[in-house]
Amino acid sequence: MEPTDTSHPDYYHRVVDCQWACPAHTDVPEYIRLIAQGRFTDAYMVNRESNVFPGILGRVCDRPCEPACRRGRIEQKPVAICRLKRVAADHREDVASRLPKVPRVKNGKRIACIGAGCASLTVANDLLPLGYQVTMFEQYGEPGGLMRTNIPSFRLPQRVLSEEIGMITGLGVDLRLNSPVTSLRALLAQGFDAVFVGSGAPHGKNLDLPGRDAAAANIHIGIAWLESVAFGHVDSVGKRVLIIGVGNTAMDCCRTSLRLGAESVKVMARKPRGFFKASDWELEDAEEESVEIVVNRLPREFVVENGRLSGMRFDRMEYELDASGRITGERVVGEEFLPADDVILAIGQENAFPWIERDLGIEFDKWDVPVIDPRTFQSTRPGVYFGGDAAFGPKNIIWAVEHGHQAAISIHRHCERQPVSERLPPGMNLHSRKMGMHEWSYANDYSPVERRLMPHVSLKERFKKLNIEVELGFTAEQVEQEVQRCLNCDVQTVFVAKLCIECDACLDICPVDCLTITANGPEAELRARLKAPARNLAQPLYVSAALPQTGRVMVKDEDLCVHCGLCAERCPTAAWDMQKSQLHWPHAEDEARALEARQPKIA
């Protein structure tokens, strides 16, 4: 195999697992180390650089980082990365003085943001410090978008939401509440230099079955129903409730129903559990509250008796799966009637843009959704950008935040009359963690403790009010052991082949047998000669240059390494070192500095 180029950022794409798995590329190991030191405010600010909403995402993030966590390679449960974000948010001091500074003298450019959700707020967060004037149009009386209208307060308290949104709007956003945009043409006529559309995917999908119209009074669209609950327009529900769909919105609907007086709540899933879209922890919380999840039920009709919904009829399904778990066949094996006083449809969301005129140069695809460049987030009309659910359909908050970061770069380049497709690449720096012969500036002991369970409000207490937050969060003392479970995936074993004397000291001391010195060759042959079998073939091997003594190569299976640093401690020639890989993912301020540096200097 060719020697591995460890100077290229893409190498660490496969190594610093959690940071690259997060769409916003949060420096997870760094803020975990800061929490371990009790520096909660510093940890909060490190987190805020990329994800903007640490307190919000520390409660409701979809956690793309956790399946990639290195801890999951050696035991079942990853580090509680999401909940550690919340720890930093809950225990931080006031950060007003550490927020981005906004210049008094503006740059003369005006940006319009449609919707005051997470994507638009991120755009404002990135552009206001550069001197832009940002006007944000929100159809409701409060900012937050779907974070406010569709995430129940027992999961995300309003005080946390308002506080973190206020950190951005307080920078100087011209926030226009109760101001829906009904015509993009009219908005463009106001002379904005760029427009960002962050209006979400505000339409829940319907289920057009027999009986739908007759039972309309007791059939609700999930996201609209949650919105009505959030604004106090709905405060009760029937005793027997059926939720159709099994995504995260369905979980919010079923748990909200219990708090509004429902006694029996069933979530109806068309397919087996392995096909559920809801996060595992959302399912666990719902089932803990005695929500019944019924699988393999295909909705067939709404049943109406005496002019009122009485229940639903379902086909009972049976599926055939192949070895990889994919469905290869299905059949109806019976039918079933379930009584219901109310039915809530949570089968998906979709975009709707009736307010965008079709002659403005914005191209729409066959689904009547704007065609968006996935890298720049620009539409086919220069100066009009989309992000969040409005760009590519429903995802989650952390994706919307990253969309906002990237759109802000494009908006800045557009306003500077630069090509929006030409942007700074991500960067990577390596810094040695060595402090002495056998000392490192990070904790490298392996902690065997299991993942800490999140304390919850008791089942007896949590239903008394709609806004009682169920998860209590960790105290500063409770988090001490959880932070030690981090395996420092950003601190790399860096090897210098010319210094190696092939003494085998590193091989002898490695606790997981991830190192092998052997003759080079094709990958398949090399993998067959490893000291420990390479179980994860998707993980590339590290292969050194030829060693000076014998011409053999040092091979490392990164999938097994726990970054303990024992190889570097044992090495007599310092061929091994532990170095922190610091990923820098450019934001609009970096683009601004780069563009300014290219301006001709006046003597």
Side-chain angles (χ1 to χ4, degrees):
M1 294 180 64
E2 292 294 321
T4 305
D5 179 10
T6 59
S7 66
H8 196 281
D10 189 56
Y11 170 68
Y12 296 100
H13 190 166
R14 299 294 189 92
V15 178
V16 191
D17 310 299
C18 51
Q19 191 173 2
W20 281 89
C22 174
H25 306 292
T26 303
D27 192 349
V28 174
E30 180 63 21
Y31 79 71
I32 290 178
R33 281 192 286 272
L34 291 170
I35 290 172
Q37 299 167 22
R39 297 167 59 187
F40 300 112
T41 306
D42 291 337
Y44 182 89
M45 294 310 297
V46 165
N47 209 283
R48 194 185 182 280
E49 285 179 13
S50 53
N51 79 17
V52 183
F53 306 110
I56 294 170
L57 286 163
R59 288 166 166 83
V60 300
C61 187
D62 212 33
R63 312 179 192 179
C65 54
E66 292 192 11
C69 175
R70 178 167 296 275
R71 189 79 186 198
R73 301 188 185 194
I74 58 173
E75 61 185 57
Q76 187 175 8
K77 294 188 176 181
V79 176
I81 296 172
C82 177
R83 279 146 175 179
L84 291 178
K85 279 184 210 167
R86 175 177 171 177
V87 168
D90 287 354
H91 298 284
R92 64 170 172 78
E93 298 171 355
D94 181 42
V95 297
S97 63
R98 300 178 64 170
L99 294 177
K101 299 297 186 286
V102 176
R104 291 184 179 180
V105 179
K106 307 304 179 184
N107 64 10
K109 304 295 184 181
R110 298 167 57 240
I111 311 301
C113 290
I114 302 175
C118 38
S120 290
L121 289 164
T122 303
V123 169
N125 179 81
D126 289 5
L127 293 183
L128 285 166
L130 300 183
Y132 287 89
Q133 294 173 281
V134 178
T135 302
M136 197 171 291
F137 298 89
E138 170 57 45
Q139 64 175 324
Y140 296 120
E142 295 182 82
L146 294 182
M147 294 189 295
R148 189 177 296 278
T149 62
N150 286 131
I151 301 179
S153 55
F154 57 82
R155 290 182 56 214
L156 177 58
Q158 295 292 304
R159 62 171 179 80
V160 175
L161 186 65
S162 296
E163 183 177 36
E164 294 203 321
I165 291 173
M167 291 182 189
I168 297 173
T169 57
L171 296 176
V173 174
D174 178 9
L175 181 59
R176 302 187 184 182
L177 302 174
N178 299 308
S179 302
V181 173
T182 58
S183 167
L184 183 58
R185 186 194 309 279
L187 186 68
L188 292 170
Q190 296 182 36
F192 289 101
D193 295 281
V195 173
F196 177 79
V197 180
S199 55
H203 287 227
K205 292 182 179 179
N206 197 8
L207 195 56
D208 189 11
L209 294 174
R212 174 66 176 91
D213 293 338
N218 296 96
I219 300 174
H220 316 283
I221 304 296
I223 62 171
W225 184 77
L226 288 171
E227 175 188 307
S228 296
V229 173
F231 289 122
H233 304 313
V234 169
D235 58 7
S236 64
V237 74
K239 299 297 182 185
R240 301 167 301 179
V241 179
L242 296 180
I243 312 293
I244 310 301
V246 70
N248 288 339
T249 297
M251 297 303 103
D252 288 338
C253 289
C254 69
R255 297 179 70 195
T256 300
S257 296
L258 291 170
R259 287 156 174 79
L260 295 184
E263 296 176 356
S264 170
V265 179
K266 291 182 171 64
V267 172
M268 310 304 296
R270 177 179 177 178
K271 295 178 181 178
R273 195 176 185 101
F275 295 88
F276 291 0
K277 293 183 178 180
S279 305
D280 290 341
W281 51 92
E282 299 267 18
L283 293 164
E284 291 169 6
D285 288 344
E287 291 181 312
E288 182 188 14
E289 295 179 359
S290 299
V291 170
E292 182 181 356
I293 299 177
V294 184
V295 301
N296 300 351
R297 297 297 190 275
L298 177 64
R300 182 171 166 184
E301 68 173 320
F302 299 98
V303 179
V304 178
E305 295 179 358
N306 300 320
R308 181 180 174 83
L309 176 74
S310 64
M312 285 189 70
R313 188 167 283 112
F314 298 84
D315 287 335
R316 288 191 294 111
M317 305 297 295
E318 200 170 82
Y319 296 93
E320 296 175 5
L321 306 178
D322 62 17
S324 62
R326 292 177 299 185
I327 294 176
T328 57
E330 63 179 57
R331 59 181 173 275
V332 177
V333 295
E335 66 175 53
E336 180 179 15
F337 170 79
L338 291 176
D341 300 308
D342 283 287
V343 171
I344 301 174
L345 305 178
I347 55 176
Q349 298 164 226
E350 55 191 0
N351 292 327
F353 300 100
W355 48 274
I356 298 181
E357 293 83 358
R358 297 312 194 253
D359 60 351
L360 297 177
I362 297 176
E363 182 183 339
F364 285 74
D365 62 20
K366 62 181 179 181
W367 294 284
D368 203 34
V369 173
V371 175
I372 310 299
D373 186 301
R375 186 161 176 261
T376 66
F377 295 90
Q378 182 172 255
S379 69
T380 51
R381 175 177 173 131
V384 178
Y385 303 86
F386 288 72
D389 293 352
F392 305 111
K395 284 195 175 181
N396 50 55
I397 297 172
I398 193 65
W399 274 103
V401 167
E402 177 57 12
H403 292 179
H405 284 314
Q406 297 305 314
I409 292 173
S410 296
I411 290 170
H412 179 65
R413 292 189 65 86
H414 168 78
C415 290
E416 292 292 317
R417 303 189 181 213
Q418 299 292 322
V420 297
S421 59
E422 297 177 11
R423 34 222 300 136
L424 294 173
M428 179 71 70
N429 289 317
L430 291 169
H431 307 279
S432 178
R433 300 290 91 183
K434 183 171 285 189
M435 296 175 63
M437 184 65 69
H438 301 300
E439 292 181 288
W440 309 103
S441 60
Y442 71 100
N444 65 336
D445 292 334
Y446 176 78
S447 173
V449 299
E450 295 183 355
R451 176 173 167 132
R452 187 173 187 92
L453 296 176
M454 170 64 70
H456 287 64
V457 172
S458 69
L459 286 169
K460 181 179 179 181
E461 295 294 323
R462 70 178 67 171
F463 300 113
K464 290 183 177 179
K465 290 182 180 179
L466 185 63
N467 62 354
I468 294 176
E469 187 174 13
V470 172
E471 293 191 353
L472 295 173
F474 293 134
T475 65
E477 294 72 26
Q478 288 172 334
V479 81
E480 287 181 0
Q481 289 188 323
E482 185 62 32
V483 293
Q484 299 304 327
R485 297 181 68 240
C486 176
L487 295 178
N488 302 295
C489 65
D490 65 330
V491 180
Q492 313 301 337
T493 50
V494 176
F495 181 72
V496 180
K498 65 182 181 181
L499 297 179
C500 179
I501 59 174
E502 301 182 48
C503 65
D504 288 358
C506 56
L507 276 64
D508 293 340
I509 202 169
C510 179
V512 292
D513 291 333
C514 70
L515 301 176
T516 304
I517 297 179
T518 184
N520 204 348
E523 181 175 350
E525 288 183 19
L526 210 55
R527 286 185 180 275
R529 297 197 298 269
L530 297 182
K531 199 171 180 183
R535 294 167 294 185
N536 180 8
L537 300 182
Q539 173 69 63
L541 297 174
Y542 165 78
V543 180
S544 76
L547 302 180
Q549 305 297 323
T550 64
R552 295 183 298 172
V553 291
M554 177 72 72
V555 183
K556 178 186 175 188
D557 184 355
E558 189 63 53
D559 193 57
L560 296 177
C561 181
V562 293
H563 292 204
C564 64
L566 290 176
C567 55
E569 289 184 11
R570 186 72 176 271
C571 182
T573 63
W576 287 105
D577 189 17
M578 303 302 294
Q579 298 186 8
K580 175 177 169 57
S581 55
Q582 188 168 12
L583 172 67
H584 180 68
W585 203 264
H587 289 169
E589 62 178 347
D590 302 295
E591 291 283 347
R593 281 194 292 266
L595 291 175
E596 184 178 357
R598 288 179 6 212
Q599 296 295 323
K601 301 298 187 288
I602 299 176

